[in-house]
């Protein structure tokens, strides 16, 4: 028979942890809470009613405690470490009190046996006493042998109380023997057990578990645990996007996030049984300075995570765009220096994430030195055959310094080591990285002006074929910003919009990486034009430096292209460029958006567009350089930004401009294009009767022939043939060259046709990327739209019949677009915080026969319809629309005439029209936010 065990061996309440944001009694008073529950329990008729009484008191205590913690954190919004300890203390009190009520009041045992001893332990993050406001509560119920019916009842009642408190509880019931067996089999369980902490019940069981875990499971299995944790980390990073500069990072799981710091602590604890992260210093895995970096990063990340939980009212760990704004405000960031508060906040976030990466490298190096074999294979160390130069040595397959003191006696070695790493292919040992960051003060004005230092930097860019590797490491270690101080402001600078996928510094490095890929011949199929330009030969130094400097002016109130050009004028002579080379780099930086803007925001079918662009570029040499820079810049924005549509526009603009520069700019005229287009159509319609061909060739005005490709002329010829005045003919066809579906409409012309078509397309969720409309001499409208689906792709052929049906219904008046769009014209919640002030310009110089109205504003589904409807209501004829989308921002350019076929020259008319367009945008924005 099991013997009775005295109740004195139990402990009901956990001790109060130090360093909380409030004194324990202001968070929860477990003794008073227990007394209040006991005072009300005699009134309960049955166990269910008793449990309800307990839950009522516990819920009130939880609400009071949470309110007190929320208020304290609002007053001290950076003091996250003190908050997470306090949150854990509150949870300890609730769990311990509920456990006490369950076993002594709901299921009392007058004479408990040894088999009915039980301990409640916190595991995981709760075990570390680190809890965000809505963290999970992970519990382990520990019993000496197989669980008894009484213990099952106690656990069930405790869990029901915790669930009624709306706590998210993870739980398991095990013996010490179970824990050891399962911990051997499953690394996740082993990690949770590593962080167990006793809360209430029979403490001797928890002590036994700790002793046996360290004596039987953790000892001698360090390499296996490290390997599993690092593999888990690599898989987690892959799931989270694989790099540190994801613009909506998960503060817990992303690269450089809290989980990375926790992984360091887990490994350190497993190997050295440290009780907290500070123990990593005593264990020799981090220096005091490195530990200070650890705590600063951890405090910042925990603060962001706790604010996320408070804002959303749930366990939310992803910094989505809309939440970034609120977290920044709660943490006291403000708009300054031409940048929004959220951009300053995210720059700090990315800088902390970079430091976490540095700490991880240092930590893993120390581990490698102690447990070389498994970690070396895990960390991908490859033996190289190239001999290393004097002054270096290989440690664990990485480049290290033979004599650091002697090495830094020549400060240029700070740059040479990056070149040696590129030359040999070896990775740099973290010892080198530590030494470099400790000697950054050696990089002074004398070194920046030293011709040899400059040459080493240029060689890093130009000589080894993969400059991005050196630049990224130099950037992470602060060398890039020290050698070129003008680069420092853009380090980890986030651009708060959905278009840019990377921080400014990472975008620049991505662009340089793409240029190197093109040079290596890796993108010939995707980028034939720029691959050909580079193969024919360009000034590589000018191109690489222009790319390096093209966005260096960002983040200030001034136009970044102009400011960047001014910086280039200062930096280039310092980097040894001649006045002529400096002038070219400066021109490229100032005009780095010119080609992209011309191709995407103007009608390149209009000869005037190409003529004006050619006049701005002036020479074939500059055209070649600007084309390569433009392609690298667009591709470097992020995955999915480059597509066939942009490729086709740039290819067309490059080809026409190159031709014009060779034959003379004025050779570009409408007559030439018109004759060529008619000749091409006759070739394609050889089987048509001569009379029909003659009629088709003479029924259209000149812009029709200049603005459309031959394929589209053929489609319209067939749609228009014998078209009755009452019919609408539609042709929908995937256009692979443009990554879009081409929608052609032929119908009798009438006012507002463009707007009605835009409304019909908006209703079916089609995203218009380009549009042209022309009126024939005999009164027919020929309109063509290139559209994409919501994923930015051409419509699948199977979806085209439904698309056609909805368009026909709208054009027949069966559906009224504005009414039908009411519910669809909404901006996604995560994108609501983006601010794009509306700019409207009237340009009478960019086209010979049209006024170009450019509307730059916030994008939304029904915007194009609203703008075209406003123009139609004001008797403005739209000849074409060019739509350029940059994430949540859109630039719609309309080529228009008034009702008399004239340009809009009158200032009063322009101002009146601008007011009406702004009103339409404002009303639409209000609907979208509703």
């Amino acid at each position: 028979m099991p013997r009775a065990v005295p109740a004195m061996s139990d402990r009901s309440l956990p001790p109060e942890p130090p360093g909380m944001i409030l004194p324990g009694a202001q968070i929860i008073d477990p003794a008073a809470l227990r007394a209040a529950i006991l005072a009300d329990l005699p009134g309960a008729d049955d166990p269910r009613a008793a449990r309800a009484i307990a839950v009522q008191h516990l819920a009130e205590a939880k609400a009071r405690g949470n309110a007190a913690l929320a208020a304290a954190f609002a007053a001290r919004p950076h003091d996250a470490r003190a908050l997470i300890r306090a949150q854990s203390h509150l949870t300890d009190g609730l769990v311990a009190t509920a456990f006490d009520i369950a076993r002594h009041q709901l299921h009392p045992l007058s004479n408990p046996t040894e088999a009915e001893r039980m301990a409640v332990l916190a595991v995981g993050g709760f075990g570390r006493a680190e809890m965000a406001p809505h963290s999970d509560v992970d519990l382990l119920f520990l019993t000496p042998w197989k669980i008894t019916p009484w213990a099952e009842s106690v656990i069930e009642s405790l869990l029901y109380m915790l669930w009624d408190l709306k706590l998210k509880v993870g739980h398991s019931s095990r013996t010490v023997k179970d824990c050891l067996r399962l911990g051997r089999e499953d690394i996740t369980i082993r990690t949770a057990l590593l962080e167990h902490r006793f809360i209430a019940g029979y403490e001797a069981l928890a002590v036994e578990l700790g002793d046996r875990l360290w004596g039987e499971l953790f000892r001698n299995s360090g390499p296996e645990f490290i390997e599993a944790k690092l593999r888990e980390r690599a898989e987690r990073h892959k799931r989270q996007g694989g790099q540190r500069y994801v613009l909506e990072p998960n503060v817990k799981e992303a690269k450089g996030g809290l989980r990375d710091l926790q992984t360091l602590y887990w490994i350190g604890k497993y190997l050295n049984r440290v009780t907290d992260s500070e123990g990593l210093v005593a264990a020799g895995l981090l220096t005091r300075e490195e530990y200070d970096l650890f705590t600063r990063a951890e405090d910042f990340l925990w603060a962001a995570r706790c604010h996320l939980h408070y804002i959303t009212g749930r366990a939310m760990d992803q910094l989505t765009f809309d939440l970034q704004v609120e977290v920044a405000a709660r943490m006291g960031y403000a708009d300054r220096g031409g940048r929004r508060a959220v951009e300053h906040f995210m720059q700090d976030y990315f800088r902390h994430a970079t430091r976490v990466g540095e700490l991880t490298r240092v930590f893993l190096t120390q581990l490698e030195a102690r447990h070389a074999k498994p970690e070396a294979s895990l960390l991908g160390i490859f033996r190289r055959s190239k001999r290393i130069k004097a002054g270096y040595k290989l440690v664990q397959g990485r480049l290290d310094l033979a004599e650091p003191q002697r090495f830094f006696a020549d400060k240029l070695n700070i740059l040479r080591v990056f070149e040696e790493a590129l030359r040999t292919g070896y990775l740099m040992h973290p010892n080198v990285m530590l030494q470099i960051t400790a000697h950054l003060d050696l990089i002074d004005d004398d070194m920046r002006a030293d011709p040899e230092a400059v040459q080493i930097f240029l060689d890093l860019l130009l000589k080894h074929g993969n400059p991005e590797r050196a630049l990224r490491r130099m950037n992470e270690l602060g060398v890039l910003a020290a050698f070129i101080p003008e680069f420092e402001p853009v380090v980890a600078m986030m651009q708060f919009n959905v278009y840019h996928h990377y921080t400014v510094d990472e975008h620049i490095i991505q662009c340089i990486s793409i240029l190197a890929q093109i040079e290596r011949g890796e993108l010939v199929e995707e980028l034939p034009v720029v691959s050909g330009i580079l193969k024919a030969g360009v000034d590589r130094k000018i191109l690489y430096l222009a790319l390096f400097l093209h966005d260096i002016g960002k983040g200030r109130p001034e136009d970044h292209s102009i400011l960047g050009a001014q910086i280039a004028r200062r930096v280039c002579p310092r980097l040894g460029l001649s006045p002529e080379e400096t002038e070219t780099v400066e021109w490229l930086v100032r005009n780095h958006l010119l080609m992209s803007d011309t191709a995407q925001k103007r009608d390149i079918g209009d000869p005037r567009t190409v003529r004006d662009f050619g006049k701005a570029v002036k020479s074939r040499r500059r055209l070649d350089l600007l084309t390569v820079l433009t392609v690298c810049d667009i591709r470097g924005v992020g995955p999915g930004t480059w597509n066939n549509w942009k490729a086709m526009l740039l290819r067309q603009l490059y080809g026409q401009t190159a031709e014009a520069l060779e034959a003379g700019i004025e050779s570009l005229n409408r007559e030439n294009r018109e004759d060529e287009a008619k000749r091409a159509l006759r070739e394609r319609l050889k089987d048509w009767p001569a009379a029909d061909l003659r009629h088709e060739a003479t029924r259209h005005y000149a812009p029709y022939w200049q603005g459309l490709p031959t394929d589209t002329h053929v489609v319209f010829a067939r749609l228009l043939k014998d078209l009755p005045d009452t019919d609408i003919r539609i042709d929908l066809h995937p256009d692979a060259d443009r990554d879009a579906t081409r929608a052609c409409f032929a119908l009798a012309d009438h006012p507002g046709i463009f707007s009605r078509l835009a409304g019909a397309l908006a209703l079916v969720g089609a995203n218009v990327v380009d549009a042209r409309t022309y009126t024939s001499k005999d009164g027919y409208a020929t309109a063509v739209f290139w559209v994409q689906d919501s994923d930015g792709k051409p419509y699948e052929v199977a979806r085209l019949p439904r698309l056609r049906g909805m368009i026909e219904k709208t054009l027949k008046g069966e559906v009224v677009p504005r009414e039908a769009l009411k519910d669809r014209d909404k901006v996604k919640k995560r994108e609501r915080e983006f601010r794009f002030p509306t700019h409207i310009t009237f340009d009478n110089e960019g086209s010979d026969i049209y006024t170009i109205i450019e509307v730059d504003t916030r994008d939304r589904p029904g915007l194009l319809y609203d703008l075209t409807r406003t123009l139609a209501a004001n008797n403005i004829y739209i000849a074409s629309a060019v739509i350029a989308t940059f994430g949540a921002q859109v630039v719609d350019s309309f080529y228009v005439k008034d009702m008399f076929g004239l340009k809009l020259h009158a200032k009063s008319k322009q101002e009146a029209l601008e007011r009406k367009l702004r009103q339409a945008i404002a009303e639409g924005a209000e609907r979208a936010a509703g």
Side-chain angles (χ1 to χ4, degrees):
M1 281 282 292
R3 59 190 176 78
V5 179
M8 287 300 290
S9 61
D10 276 11
R11 194 175 86 193
S12 295
L13 297 171
E16 189 175 304
M20 295 192 297
I21 201 164
L22 288 172
Q26 289 181 35
I27 301 165
I28 188 168
D29 185 343
L33 175 59
R34 183 173 180 274
I37 294 169
L38 293 179
D40 284 356
L41 280 184
D45 298 331
D46 56 39
R48 187 185 286 264
R51 197 174 77 209
I53 288 168
V55 166
Q56 186 186 339
H57 283 282
L58 287 164
E60 287 168 3
K62 177 179 172 241
R64 278 195 304 274
N66 278 333
L69 292 178
F73 192 49
R76 290 157 59 187
H78 293 268
D79 208 350
R81 193 178 297 269
L83 173 71
I84 60 179
R85 285 181 187 143
Q87 198 75 49
S88 179
H89 177 65
L90 172 60
T91 312
D92 283 354
L94 295 171
V95 171
T97 305
F99 179 61
D100 184 75
I101 297 299
R103 63 184 180 144
H104 291 139
Q105 310 305 321
L106 302 183
H107 306 283
L109 269 183
S110 54
N111 197 19
T113 65
E114 198 168 338
E116 281 146 344
R117 288 169 167 171
M118 183 168 34
V120 182
L121 280 71
V123 291
F126 186 26
R128 277 194 313 276
E130 293 179 349
M131 290 193 79
H134 293 280
S135 286
D136 295 356
V137 179
D138 291 322
L139 299 174
L140 169 62
F141 300 109
L142 204 56
T143 56
W145 301 294
K146 189 182 174 196
I147 196 162
T148 65
W150 172 81
E152 274 185 347
S153 300
V154 169
I155 292 168
E156 185 180 283
S157 291
L158 169 60
L159 288 174
Y160 274 121
M161 284 190 273
L162 297 180
W163 289 331
D164 287 345
L165 291 175
K166 304 289 186 289
L167 292 173
K168 194 177 174 188
V169 184
H171 62 95
S172 55
S173 307
R174 296 182 187 131
T175 64
V176 172
K177 200 172 171 185
D178 291 336
C179 291
L180 292 168
R181 177 176 56 80
L182 292 165
R184 258 185 213 100
E185 295 167 1
D186 188 317
I187 204 75
T188 306
I189 292 173
R190 198 187 307 185
T191 308
L193 289 170
L194 179 65
E195 302 193 294
H196 71 272
R197 179 172 61 87
F198 174 72
I199 295 180
Y202 189 64
E203 193 167 3
L205 271 175
V207 173
E208 183 192 347
L209 174 67
D211 290 344
R212 291 191 65 187
L213 282 172
W214 287 105
E216 298 174 33
L217 179 58
F218 298 160
R219 199 177 64 183
N220 300 327
S221 60
E224 175 202 349
F225 182 78
I226 294 166
E227 189 168 344
K229 282 288 129 193
L230 295 183
R231 187 168 54 244
E232 199 178 83
R233 173 176 168 267
E235 286 165 4
R236 186 178 71 251
H237 288 171
K238 199 173 174 183
R239 283 196 306 275
Q240 291 293 324
Q243 50 103 20
R244 209 167 284 122
Y245 300 112
V246 176
L247 289 193
E248 291 184 290
N250 185 307
V251 292
K252 182 179 172 186
E253 303 288 348
K255 196 170 187 178
L258 279 169
R259 188 64 88 209
D260 277 2
L261 290 175
Q262 287 160 3
T263 298
L264 302 191
Y265 171 59
W266 288 332
I267 292 172
K269 182 170 186 175
Y270 201 96
L271 296 176
N272 299 283
R273 203 170 179 174
V274 300
T275 52
D276 55 28
S277 54
E278 193 164 4
L280 298 173
V281 179
L285 289 165
L286 293 176
T287 64
R288 171 57 58 183
E289 292 75 21
E290 288 155 4
Y291 174 69
D292 289 343
L293 274 179
F294 183 111
T295 51
R296 280 200 294 276
E298 192 178 37
D299 287 349
F300 182 90
L301 293 167
W302 267 114
R305 187 178 182 210
C306 290
H307 287 299
L308 279 170
H309 282 215
Y310 278 129
I311 291 163
T312 59
R314 61 191 173 90
M316 174 64 167
D317 296 327
Q318 189 174 13
L319 272 167
T320 56
F321 289 125
D322 54 321
L323 295 173
Q324 288 171 15
V325 175
E326 292 187 64
V327 173
R330 287 176 71 110
M331 288 179 71
Y333 286 86
D335 295 359
R336 60 185 165 80
R339 295 173 65 210
R340 291 181 63 181
V342 64
E343 292 174 320
H344 292 292
F345 162 65
M346 289 306 293
Q347 186 165 26
D348 283 351
Y349 172 87
F350 289 122
R351 288 185 170 185
H352 281 297
T354 302
R355 288 185 196 114
V356 171
E358 289 166 16
L359 281 173
T360 305
R361 276 197 302 274
V362 169
F363 185 90
L364 295 180
T365 308
Q366 296 293 346
L367 288 183
E368 268 190 351
R370 299 178 192 192
H371 309 268
K373 193 169 176 252
E375 287 74 48
S377 63
L378 255 173
L379 296 166
I381 295 162
F382 301 101
R383 300 289 169 203
R384 307 289 181 196
S385 56
K386 282 197 178 179
R387 290 175 65 84
I388 54 172
K389 289 181 179 176
Y392 300 101
K393 63 179 179 179
L394 287 180
V395 177
Q396 296 153 2
R398 288 191 179 84
L399 198 64
D400 203 349
L401 307 180
E403 297 175 69
Q405 199 172 348
R406 197 167 165 188
F407 183 87
F408 288 105
D410 181 354
K411 53 192 175 187
L412 265 61
N413 282 334
I414 294 176
L415 293 177
R416 288 190 188 110
V417 68
F418 292 98
E419 191 175 16
E420 182 66 3
L422 276 190
R423 187 188 70 81
T424 59
Y426 285 113
L427 296 174
M428 283 166 62
H429 195 286
N431 287 344
V432 180
M433 301 184 208
L434 283 173
Q435 293 277 0
I436 288 169
T437 49
H439 288 86
L440 285 177
D441 58 323
L442 293 177
I443 302 175
D444 54 12
D445 286 342
D446 288 345
M447 179 172 162
R448 292 181 199 109
D450 188 319
E452 193 181 346
V454 166
Q455 192 55 53
I456 297 166
F457 177 72
L458 292 176
D459 285 349
L460 286 169
L461 274 182
L462 302 170
K463 198 171 166 185
H464 300 282
N466 55 346
E468 73 281 357
R469 200 182 122 207
L471 289 176
R472 192 169 280 119
R473 186 64 77 230
M474 288 169 78
N475 189 31
E476 286 176 359
L477 299 179
V479 174
L480 206 48
F483 189 64
I484 300 178
E486 293 84 354
F487 193 80
E488 201 281 332
V490 300
V491 173
M493 180 189 283
M494 180 245 201
Q495 299 166 85
F496 191 65
N497 58 53
V498 79
Y499 179 63
H500 289 93
H501 294 235
Y502 303 117
T503 52
V504 178
D505 55 338
E506 179 62 18
H507 163 67
I508 287 169
I509 293 169
Q510 289 281 344
C511 290
I512 287 171
S513 173
I514 288 157
L515 177 54
Q517 285 175 59
I518 300 168
E519 280 201 303
R520 294 194 298 265
E522 293 171 13
L523 299 172
V524 174
E525 285 185 26
E526 282 182 70
L527 305 173
V529 172
V530 290
S531 296
I533 291 171
L534 289 177
K535 197 173 178 186
V538 291
D539 190 321
R540 296 175 64 243
K541 182 165 65 173
I542 283 176
L543 195 48
Y544 272 97
L545 286 175
L547 262 183
F548 179 73
L549 297 169
H550 80 280
D551 273 350
I552 205 164
K554 280 205 164 172
R556 273 137 304 180
E558 303 92 335
D559 181 324
H560 81 278
S561 300
I562 294 169
L563 187 59
Q566 291 165 357
I567 293 170
R569 196 185 308 156
R570 269 200 321 272
V571 172
C572 288
R574 201 165 74 222
L575 294 177
L577 270 66
S578 68
E580 188 190 343
E581 289 170 328
T582 298
E583 188 193 343
T584 304
V585 172
E586 187 187 336
W587 183 88
L588 286 166
V589 173
R590 179 178 282 108
N591 294 286
H592 74 270
L593 295 173
L594 174 65
M595 189 170 195
S596 172
D597 283 350
T598 302
Q600 294 184 75
K601 299 179 186 177
R602 288 292 179 264
D603 180 357
I604 56 175
D606 185 335
R608 178 65 180 267
T609 302
V610 182
R611 263 206 318 272
D612 288 352
F613 176 68
K615 283 175 182 172
V617 172
K618 289 188 175 66
S619 71
R620 176 66 183 263
R621 176 172 172 266
R622 280 187 174 181
L623 174 66
D624 286 348
L625 289 166
L626 184 59
T627 303
V628 178
L629 187 148
T630 302
V631 170
C632 294
D633 190 15
I634 295 173
R635 283 184 75 102
V637 166
T641 309
W642 179 262
N643 55 29
N644 284 353
W645 178 258
K646 287 173 185 161
M648 181 274 302
L649 291 173
L650 289 171
R651 202 162 48 237
Q652 212 173 312
L653 180 58
Y654 174 80
Q656 290 176 18
T657 310
E659 208 177 292
L661 288 169
E662 278 172 28
I665 293 290
E666 298 311 317
S667 68
L668 282 170
N669 61 59
R670 295 179 178 279
E671 291 72 25
N672 290 355
R673 288 216 187 163
E674 186 174 344
D675 293 343
E676 284 164 22
K678 288 178 181 178
R679 200 161 38 247
L681 181 67
R682 287 191 194 98
E683 273 297 307
R684 294 284 293 276
L685 298 177
K686 281 178 181 171
D687 55 333
W688 274 36
D692 290 351
L693 253 180
R694 199 162 41 251
H695 177 55
E696 181 60 27
T698 55
R699 78 193 305 179
H700 301 287
Y701 293 104
Y704 173 87
W705 298 108
Q706 294 142 11
L708 296 175
T710 305
D711 283 352
T712 311
H713 287 150
V714 171
V715 171
F716 277 128
R718 291 181 175 141
L719 291 178
L720 286 166
K721 197 173 183 189
D722 304 323
L723 174 65
D725 285 355
T726 53
D727 274 15
I728 300 166
R729 287 185 182 166
I730 303 172
D731 177 87
L732 303 175
H733 189 77
D735 189 339
D737 286 347
R738 302 184 184 223
D739 268 346
T741 298
R742 185 190 62 209
C744 291
F745 303 91
L747 63 162
D749 190 28
H750 54 80
I753 188 64
F754 194 103
S755 178
R756 280 180 63 199
L757 293 170
L761 292 166
L763 266 181
V764 293
N767 179 27
V768 178
V769 291
D770 204 355
R772 305 278 183 278
T773 182
Y774 305 97
T775 303
S776 68
K777 294 171 185 174
D778 52 349
Y780 287 97
T782 49
V784 56
F785 289 76
W786 280 272
V787 297
Q788 294 174 333
D789 64 13
S790 54
D791 297 322
K793 298 278 186 293
Y795 278 85
E796 292 167 19
V797 176
R799 292 175 65 191
L800 295 182
R802 185 185 164 273
L803 190 66
R804 176 192 290 272
M806 177 57 89
I807 292 167
E808 284 173 346
K809 273 187 182 176
T810 310
L811 294 177
K812 286 173 186 169
E814 292 172 30
V815 181
V816 179
R818 182 67 274 154
E819 290 304 307
L821 276 169
K822 259 184 190 169
D823 297 328
R824 302 188 196 191
D825 195 8
K826 301 286 182 220
V827 171
K828 292 175 191 165
K829 184 174 182 289
R830 67 182 275 271
E831 294 178 7
R832 281 184 190 169
E833 289 294 342
F834 297 127
R835 294 184 204 152
F836 297 105
T838 296
H839 297 289
I840 298 174
T841 58
F842 292 79
D843 174 10
N844 280 312
E845 303 304 317
S847 172
D848 290 334
I849 53 176
Y850 300 110
T851 295
I852 304 168
I853 302 176
E854 185 175 287
V855 181
D856 182 343
T857 191
R858 179 79 164 74
D859 197 14
R860 57 182 170 79
L863 176 69
L864 183 63
Y865 172 65
D866 284 345
L867 295 176
T868 53
R869 198 169 60 131
T870 304
L871 292 172
N874 288 275
N875 299 312
I876 301 297
Y877 165 71
I878 303 167
S880 63
V882 181
I883 291 95
T885 307
F886 305 93
Q889 178 189 11
V890 69
V891 180
D892 288 347
S893 302
F894 301 100
Y895 283 65
V896 305
K897 294 177 180 179
D898 67 13
M899 61 194 297
F900 304 109
L902 302 172
K903 287 186 178 185
L904 312 181
H905 282 293
K907 195 75 181 155
S908 57
K909 199 167 187 178
Q910 290 179 9
E911 287 169 354
L913 190 54
E914 181 176 346
R915 275 196 302 276
K916 286 172 183 171
L917 287 168
R918 284 184 179 277
Q919 186 183 341
I921 291 166
E923 287 170 0
E926 211 172 294
R927 279 194 308 273

